[in-house]
Amino acid sequence: MGFLKNKSCRQQITDEHRSCQDAGRRAFLKKAVKAAAIGSTAVVAGCQAPGLLGSKEEMALQFQEYFKAHYRLMTEKERDATIIRLERLAKLQKGVDVQISSKGALPGVLYGYGFNVTRCEGYMECVSACVRENNLDRKSNTQYIRIFEMEPGQMAPNAGNGKFFNEVPVDGRFYMGAQCNHCDNAPCIKACPTKATYREPDGIVVVDYDWCIGCRYCMAACPYYGRRFNWNEPVVPANEITRKQHYLGNRQRRRGQMEKCTFCVQRTREGRLPACAEACPTGARIFGNLLDPNSEIRFVLENKKVFRWKEELGTDPKFWYFID
Amino acid sequence: MTQKSSVRQLFGFMTDVARWSLSGGIGYQLFLCLLVVFMMLGVFAYLVQWKLGLTVTHMSDIVSWGFYIANFTFLVGVAAAAVMLILPSYIFKDEHFHHVVIIGEVVAVGALIMSMTFVFVDLGRPLQGWHILPIIGLFNWPSSLLTWDILVLNVYLVLNLSIPAYILYCHYNQREPDPRKYRPFVFISIFWAFGIHLITAFLYEGLPARPFWNNPLMGPRFLASAFAAGPALITVLLAIIHNATTFKIPKQTFNKLRLIIVISAIINLIMLFSEVFKEFYFPTHHSLSAEYLYFGLDGHNSLVPWIWTAVSINIVGTLLLAFNPGKNRPMVLLPACVLLFIGIWIEKGIGLIVPGLVPSPLGEVVSYAPSWVEISIALGVLALGMFVVTILLKPALIIEQRFETNNETV
Ligand code: SF4
Ligand code: SF4
């Protein structure tokens, strides 16, 4: 684990460096990549009749995408290039203009999440906000967040009822959410044979979608049911696509890739709350920087009765349940 | 020997092997054609899966591994079991096993090819498979047990291809192979056989998220069941070869194999009962998977008939082999082997993988049965394995037989 962290620190420095760079360079690169794409069209043009896999340009872009490296190992230039290709592909395939960010972790930030068991009333606004924000597959009804209706005496989501269709809240019952816990000692990272899933310096456990081979070992390893697999080609209607995206976050996924909650990396690294925390009408969801002594999450950890799910596994989740 | 003539020799060896593997009587040709037909079925089903994604299987976010991985696990065991012939024949110089050791090695190759194909067809993005390769990809070794497994399986495949290839090549040229050249590798391959199956067990054993798998008995049990199922399969195969070809197998070989199977099967049953005891004497929350497997949970009991069939035929097979009521007559021995083999296949395949994943970490219970695509692909992979075994075994046996008759006449 030690060497991983070292690497992430280095990454952080380059990321910071990048984030203050001017956007003009990317615009310039955009043209260059487009030219290159058209150039390499000649290479692949002979292989397939146009129309079968989309236009020639699309094929060329996909051809270049195929050979790209793991996100963590890409140089700044390579990151810019792949983002331009991905944005162009979104335009070609869906006709939408998306902006994909590659903003790195902010320095001195470690994200943590608190879930107020007393407050949650089971409205599930968080679930639908998450689906919209993260462009989750509408076809298979993918959801990162699950809400469970609990009877008194139960205190773990797996004991509750995840399929309630009654009006909420019900007297005498309470509600618990479950989602990826962003374990600090994550079994999914340990299991992944390709390092496609890894921990960012701000503690977010992400999947490099394009590096994932879809073996699903991480899914078997996750004790919190935090991961979702794209069994089919995900479908999101073009007019519902959230366009502000992040390479490690809510950008378009493909069939056969693993995905998961990213603490809305596209929002949180811009200083906003995750969509779920923002959407919650009861204020049951607390999010913030664990390293900032004045953050709300720190207040919760210091003043409330908190607990973590399956503490005995030693996964060290950064997701706490608490009671008012 | 000049270099030129050795090249020519090698070339002659290759062409003869190819000729012998593909030529044969009408029955042999028909058999190969049948296997090709099944392989085509597998290819067709795989194309469907390729086009539509793994959604054509019955796997889901809850049962995220199914029939493919179940078969993979079982077949690694069959591959490892070749060691039960290799060990006595090369180390203890047992002549009865030495006579048939090549068959064990070929079965191992077939089983390995099948198990690796099963992993491959299970991948969501096979085109990106290169991401897992060392150097050009990112090989998460030693952290991920999956990378360990890939490593040991491939090395084992190379060992089990090259040792017999060398020996056969020497026999083809009517000379004795040089033990100094191959014995070190035989030793390695013996350790490796235990390694591949232990590591495959660790793949599951190392997941605290899944209490059903997170069990230190997993590794030893994998070995015991493999050393029962593998030799059972080899026994049946030997009987077929004995009856269908001119390659005759001595009676003693069968008797010794029976002993190996009985001992392993008994150890396997003891461990099974130990597990069952632990789960049901004082059931905890962690016993829900076992309950799901043996009795069904919340009305989901699709596995129940399977596991009870498996346990019963396991016991019947073991008893038949142990008490040997047929006095070594194939009429009794062979069906007993088949029963044992199928019993272990169910128990170590579907009966191991699915309950590990159900109930899900969120406590949800679902049923799982393979879809037609999964079954067709599995049949295709099975046909592929049988095809490989057949075309490797045929020339191997011809060479061995010629070498033996030649040596006798000399
Ligand atoms: S909850 Fe699961 S997916 Fe999330 S970090 Fe932990 S092990 Fe990984
Ligand atoms: S499915 Fe993807 S992220 Fe998960 S273990 Fe396999 S390669 Fe890694």
Side-chain angles (χ1 to χ4, degrees):
Chain A
M1 209 45 216
F3 76 96
L4 255 179
K5 278 195 182 130
N6 267 336
K7 210 170 207 171
S8 330
C9 286
R10 234 183 303 131
Q11 194 59 66
Q12 191 169 328
I13 295 161
T14 54
D15 283 343
E16 275 165 50
H17 177 61
R18 190 203 337 277
S19 54
C20 48
Q21 293 224 337
D22 55 333
R25 190 172 47 84
R26 194 172 274 172
F28 167 74
L29 267 170
K30 210 173 230 173
K31 284 199 198 108
V33 165
K34 217 168 176 181
I38 292 162
S40 62
T41 310
V43 182
V44 276
C47 313
Q48 210 108 30
L52 198 65
L53 277 175
S55 68
K56 276 185 188 171
E57 186 191 355
E58 194 180 329
M59 265 167 55
L61 288 171
Q62 267 163 348
F63 185 73
Q64 292 169 345
E65 277 292 281
Y66 179 76
F67 295 101
K68 73 179 176 190
H70 187 290
Y71 183 67
R72 260 205 300 190
L73 301 183
M74 283 184 202
T75 63
E76 229 174 293
K77 243 174 138 180
E78 286 169 332
R79 286 190 184 179
D80 287 340
T82 176
I83 284 175
I84 291 163
R85 285 195 297 266
L86 289 170
E87 287 175 350
R88 179 76 190 139
L89 276 170
K91 180 78 185 162
L92 287 171
Q93 292 170 337
K94 299 238 169 172
V96 283
D97 290 300
V98 301
Q99 294 99 46
I100 302 178
S101 155
S102 60
K103 193 174 165 90
L106 303 168
V109 171
L110 184 66
Y111 291 120
Y113 204 108
F115 184 94
N116 190 331
V117 181
T118 321
R119 284 230 184 144
C120 176
E121 304 205 308
Y123 296 127
M124 305 227 259
E125 294 291 332
C126 48
V127 177
S128 40
C130 172
V131 169
R132 282 193 307 272
E133 168 66 28
N134 288 302
N135 299 320
L136 299 189
D137 176 29
R138 311 293 203 267
K139 190 172 172 193
S140 64
N141 207 6
T142 303
Q143 299 170 349
Y144 290 161
I145 305 176
R146 300 285 311 274
I147 303 289
F148 292 81
E149 193 170 65
M150 318 290 297
E151 302 280 349
Q154 302 172 331
M155 220 21 164
N158 54 317
N161 171 15
K163 293 200 181 85
F164 60 96
F165 299 103
N166 42 289
E167 199 170 297
V168 292
V170 176
D171 261 351
R173 300 207 181 132
F174 64 100
Y175 300 85
M176 273 179 108
Q179 60 207 66
C180 168
N181 282 199
H182 293 273
C183 311
D184 229 38
N185 178 20
C188 58
I189 296 177
K190 203 163 181 181
C192 177
T194 62
K195 301 194 189 174
T197 196
Y198 66 98
R199 179 189 183 279
E200 281 276 292
D202 48 7
I204 305 181
V205 176
V206 293
V207 182
D208 179 351
Y209 309 122
D210 293 332
W211 194 257
C212 168
I213 58 171
C215 67
R216 310 192 293 295
Y217 193 27
C218 54
M219 211 165 199
C222 171
Y224 302 99
Y225 198 70
R227 310 184 75 87
R228 303 291 182 273
F229 187 67
N230 286 291
W231 300 95
N232 51 273
E233 188 68 38
V235 180
V236 185
N239 58 349
E240 292 179 22
I241 292 179
T242 303
R243 297 172 185 209
K244 277 197 97 49
Q245 304 182 348
H246 194 287
Y247 191 92
L248 299 171
N250 55 348
R251 72 183 168 96
Q252 173 75 54
R253 269 83 66 196
R254 297 268 161 217
R255 172 178 79 208
Q257 292 171 339
M258 192 59 73
E259 60 176 276
K260 62 184 286 299
C261 158
T262 62
F263 275 165
C264 287
V265 58
Q266 65 280 359
R267 298 168 62 103
T268 44
R269 283 190 182 166
E270 306 286 350
R272 303 166 69 199
L273 283 176
C276 49
E278 192 178 276
C280 179
T282 66
R285 290 173 171 270
I286 309 294
F287 179 83
N289 180 4
L290 293 168
L291 303 181
D292 172 6
N294 300 318
S295 64
E296 207 180 349
I297 183 76
R298 278 289 284 272
F299 179 83
V300 166
L301 291 182
E302 280 153 25
N303 297 291
K304 304 280 179 178
K305 313 221 167 5
V306 303
F307 68 97
R308 298 188 288 189
W309 186 22
K310 302 193 184 177
E311 186 84 73
E312 74 277 12
L313 295 183
T315 49
D316 211 355
K318 293 193 288 294
F319 188 99
W320 285 267
Y321 296 93
F322 68 98
I323 301 164
D324 260 342
Chain B
M1 201 192 314
T2 64
Q3 205 166 0
K4 210 165 178 190
S5 73
S6 74
V7 168
R8 194 172 314 131
Q9 237 174 25
L10 192 65
F11 186 72
F13 174 68
M14 305 273 240
T15 44
D16 270 350
V17 165
R19 192 159 47 83
W20 286 329
S21 19
L22 297 177
S23 61
I26 182 85
Y28 182 73
Q29 300 287 359
L30 273 179
F31 178 63
L32 286 189
C33 285
L34 189 73
L35 291 180
V36 171
V37 168
F38 274 102
M39 282 195 270
M40 284 328 215
L41 172 72
V43 169
F44 170 71
Y46 188 67
L47 286 178
V48 173
Q49 179 180 307
W50 181 280
K51 192 99 194 89
L52 301 174
L54 283 163
T55 178
V56 295
T57 69
H58 282 167
M59 289 184 273
S60 61
D61 280 348
I62 293 179
V63 183
S64 51
W65 278 343
F67 201 49
Y68 300 147
I69 295 297
N71 282 308
F72 151 76
T73 312
F74 175 74
L75 287 164
V76 171
V78 174
V83 74
M84 284 292 135
L85 299 186
I86 296 175
L87 185 79
S89 85
Y90 290 118
I91 306 295
F92 304 138
K93 306 248 180 317
D94 183 299
E95 49 170 326
H96 299 122
F97 277 141
H98 204 83
H99 184 61
V100 297
V101 67
I102 183 78
I103 299 172
E105 286 160 335
V106 168
V107 168
V109 169
L112 278 173
I113 286 177
M114 283 191 271
S115 60
M116 292 204 262
T117 315
F118 272 118
V119 174
F120 182 79
V121 297
D122 187 66
L123 289 184
R125 306 209 312 149
L127 278 182
Q128 273 69 20
W130 62 272
H131 290 174
I132 208 177
L133 297 180
I135 302 164
I136 61 165
L138 270 182
F139 196 57
N140 191 10
W141 189 86
S143 165
S144 169
L145 260 306
L146 208 55
T147 57
W148 278 85
D149 218 24
I150 292 168
L151 209 66
V152 291
L153 287 180
N154 279 296
V155 172
Y156 192 64
L157 180 63
V158 170
L159 284 171
N160 267 294
L161 275 174
S162 46
I163 298 170
Y166 168 71
I167 293 176
L168 281 178
Y169 181 62
C170 292
H171 286 180
Y172 172 81
N173 291 319
Q174 302 300 339
R175 49 186 158 86
E176 278 294 344
D178 179 358
R180 275 173 314 176
K181 281 197 187 144
Y182 71 85
R183 274 180 70 89
F185 294 103
V186 170
F187 274 107
I188 298 176
S189 100
I190 288 168
F191 283 108
W192 222 266
F194 289 93
I196 62 166
H197 215 30
L198 270 182
I199 284 176
T200 305
F202 291 171
L203 207 66
Y204 305 102
E205 201 175 313
L207 300 180
R210 312 287 176 176
F212 188 71
W213 293 340
N214 190 216
N215 159 8
L217 205 52
M218 191 79 95
R221 243 202 99 197
F222 265 38
L223 289 176
S225 62
F227 295 156
L233 174 71
I234 290 171
T235 306
V236 175
L237 190 64
L238 288 183
I240 294 173
I241 291 171
H242 184 77
N243 289 319
T245 71
T246 50
F247 192 88
K248 293 300 164 205
I249 315 261
K251 257 207 155 64
Q252 292 92 325
T253 311
F254 286 102
N255 294 349
K256 286 178 181 169
L257 272 174
R258 181 177 72 83
L259 273 185
I260 292 178
I261 300 171
V262 168
I263 293 167
S264 313
I266 289 174
I267 296 176
N268 181 37
L269 281 181
I270 292 172
M271 293 201 237
L272 173 67
F273 286 130
S274 169
E275 273 182 350
V276 168
F277 170 79
K278 180 238 159 195
E279 302 283 17
F280 294 111
Y281 176 70
F282 198 105
T284 67
H285 284 180
H286 290 175
S287 311
L288 286 176
S289 294
E291 204 178 308
Y292 169 74
L293 174 63
Y294 286 98
F295 303 108
L297 213 58
D298 302 346
H300 292 280
N301 46 16
S302 56
L303 291 184
V304 176
W306 287 99
I307 193 66
W308 286 107
T309 314
V311 171
S312 354
I313 61 180
N314 242 336
I315 295 176
V316 171
T318 310
L319 290 178
L320 279 180
L321 287 164
F323 292 104
N324 198 5
K327 305 263 172 297
N328 280 333
R329 253 185 313 217
M331 281 272 288
V332 182
L333 273 194
L334 292 184
C337 284
V338 172
L339 283 183
L340 197 61
F341 184 79
I342 295 176
I344 293 176
W345 173 69
I346 298 174
E347 192 216 324
K348 232 175 105 185
I350 285 288
L352 176 87
I353 302 302
V354 179
L357 301 164
V358 181
S360 79
L362 296 182
E364 286 166 307
V365 182
V366 293
S367 291
Y368 167 84
S371 72
W372 75 265
V373 173
E374 286 171 277
I375 293 173
S376 311
I377 290 182
L379 282 175
V381 177
L382 182 70
L384 170 73
M386 288 169 74
F387 190 85
V388 168
V389 170
T390 313
I391 63 165
L392 288 183
L393 211 48
K394 178 119 183 304
L397 294 184
I398 293 177
I399 293 172
E400 287 295 276
Q401 225 172 350
R402 290 207 321 185
F403 182 68
E404 272 168 30
T405 41
N406 242 334
N407 275 13
E408 275 157 23
T409 50
V410 168

